[in-house]
Amino acid sequence: MSDKAVITCALNGVLTDPKQHHVPVTPEEMAREAKAAFDAGASIMHIHLRQQAPNKGHLPSWEVGVSKEIQQAIREACPGVIINHTSGVSGPNYSGALDCIRETRPEIAACNAGSLNYLKVKADNTWAWPPMMFDNAVEKVKDYLDVMNAVGTIPEFECFDVGIVRCVGMYTQVGMYDGPLEYNFVMGVASGMPSDPELLPILIKLKRPEAHWQVTAIGREEIWPLHQRCAELGGHLRTGLEDTFYLADGKKVTSNGQLIEAVAACARRAGREIASPAEARKIFGTNR
């Protein structure tokens, strides 16, 4: 088990609407929220990009200029911080995501490691949204890995289901990737892995032995036992307004800083210290 727990803050996500929730959109807002999370113990900021025009902040953007402005603002507000860039795109056109990684060279970037039927059913037994496929074929994964390898970006392998965890090992077997390994077990998506702490020993068993791992816990107050078990088993920690708006007592938060304070407390209860950005770079093997 790593004595030091690296904390990632997922600042805003792709689905959260700033008109309904306190998610940051502009470079200034992203920097402010990153600073609150940084001061609470987060060394890594996972960022999504939104359109910057008035009343368009609920829509995603893949403009390289927007990515550069947001990263610069966050780095100025949080000296030494590590950027973890989103890359998730459904459909065949993901050139914008590749361009953002290629041109901005983040230390870490998400690499969605397999496909998932992205589904949810409402209480009245109808679909919460039209059923969709979050498609991540092997060819698509390879395109991301090739770009990340070219610019020295470490992939964070996003695993939404047990079989996807196993796929990551196959990618290394066939030579698609041979650098530092980091798994992100995404738990709580209705059609993926549930937020069940009892799953963690199985997932740890299935990952590559040398790999670091963390949990993305999506949900409400029910996710906090999962964060605690993750800390106890030696995983790294992630939370933020992309993943939840609620603390363990059911209180709704208004800032990423509140969530990072809570997840840092999970680490400390497990007897672990919080890693600084410099320590996080050493743990994950970033080269800058």
Side-chain angles (χ1 to χ4, degrees):
M1 182 174 92
S2 173
D3 290 334
K4 299 279 188 176
V6 178
I7 298 178
T8 296
C9 181
L11 288 168
N12 58 351
V14 68
L15 297 175
T16 43
D17 189 339
K19 293 181 179 179
Q20 298 179 325
H21 304 288
H22 295 274
V23 292
V25 171
T26 68
E28 295 78 15
E29 292 167 348
M30 293 287 279
R32 184 191 66 234
E33 281 293 301
K35 181 67 163 57
F38 189 76
D39 289 346
S43 294
I44 301 175
M45 302 298 159
H46 177 64
I47 63 169
H48 285 256
L49 312 176
R50 305 295 190 89
Q51 293 185 24
Q52 299 295 300
N55 299 316
K56 297 292 185 180
H58 62 293
L59 298 174
S61 171
W62 292 106
E63 292 185 37
V64 171
V66 171
S67 180
K68 287 181 176 178
E69 289 180 18
I70 286 173
Q71 290 191 50
Q72 180 180 348
I74 290 174
R75 293 185 193 280
E76 289 175 355
C78 309
V81 75
I82 298 168
I83 298 293
N84 177 327
H85 204 292
T86 183
S87 71
V89 179
S90 294
N93 183 10
Y94 47 96
S95 59
L98 295 178
D99 288 344
C100 282
I101 295 167
R102 185 184 295 110
E103 297 298 324
T104 71
R105 303 168 61 92
E107 292 94 337
I108 300 171
C111 182
N112 295 283
S115 300
L116 181 76
N117 284 319
Y118 206 86
L119 312 174
K120 186 176 181 179
V121 176
K122 297 187 294 186
D124 64 359
N125 295 324
T126 61
W127 295 117
W129 54 74
M132 62 168 287
M133 167 68 77
F134 184 27
D135 57 309
N136 294 288
V138 172
E139 295 79 10
K140 189 174 184 178
V141 174
K142 185 177 186 302
D143 286 342
Y144 279 114
L145 291 175
D146 287 348
V147 169
M148 292 180 199
N149 181 63
V151 299
T153 294
I154 293 175
E156 176 188 88
F157 287 101
E158 316 294 324
C159 300
F160 295 84
D161 218 336
V162 175
I164 299 177
V165 176
R166 302 177 73 188
C167 288
V168 175
M170 298 182 198
Y171 300 151
T172 64
Q173 282 183 280
V174 300
M176 285 171 57
Y177 179 71
D178 63 0
L181 273 174
E182 180 185 349
Y183 289 73
N184 181 24
F185 302 142
V186 183
M187 306 174 75
V189 174
S191 54
M193 293 187 287
S195 296
D196 185 347
E198 294 185 11
L199 271 178
L200 288 180
I202 297 171
L203 299 175
I204 294 167
K205 180 180 178 181
L206 292 174
K207 75 174 183 66
R208 297 283 291 208
E210 73 277 16
H212 297 288
W213 63 279
Q214 70 175 20
V215 167
T216 289
I218 299 171
R220 296 194 173 203
E221 57 267 30
E222 76 277 1
I223 66 176
W224 289 96
L226 177 58
H227 283 306
Q228 188 62 53
R229 191 64 180 136
C230 174
E232 293 165 356
L233 292 175
H236 299 291
L237 300 166
R238 163 181 150 156
T239 191
L241 295 175
E242 175 175 4
D243 304 338
T244 189
F245 301 110
Y246 297 92
L247 298 174
D249 62 3
K251 179 182 178 182
K252 189 173 183 178
V253 302
T254 58
S255 171
N256 282 285
Q258 296 164 279
L259 294 169
I260 298 302
E261 288 174 0
V263 85
C266 291
R268 295 189 178 102
R269 283 194 295 269
R272 300 174 65 191
E273 297 180 6
I274 309 304
S276 68
E279 291 167 332
R281 290 175 190 277
K282 185 174 181 180
I283 289 168
F284 288 149
T286 61
N287 57 11
R288 57 182 185 275

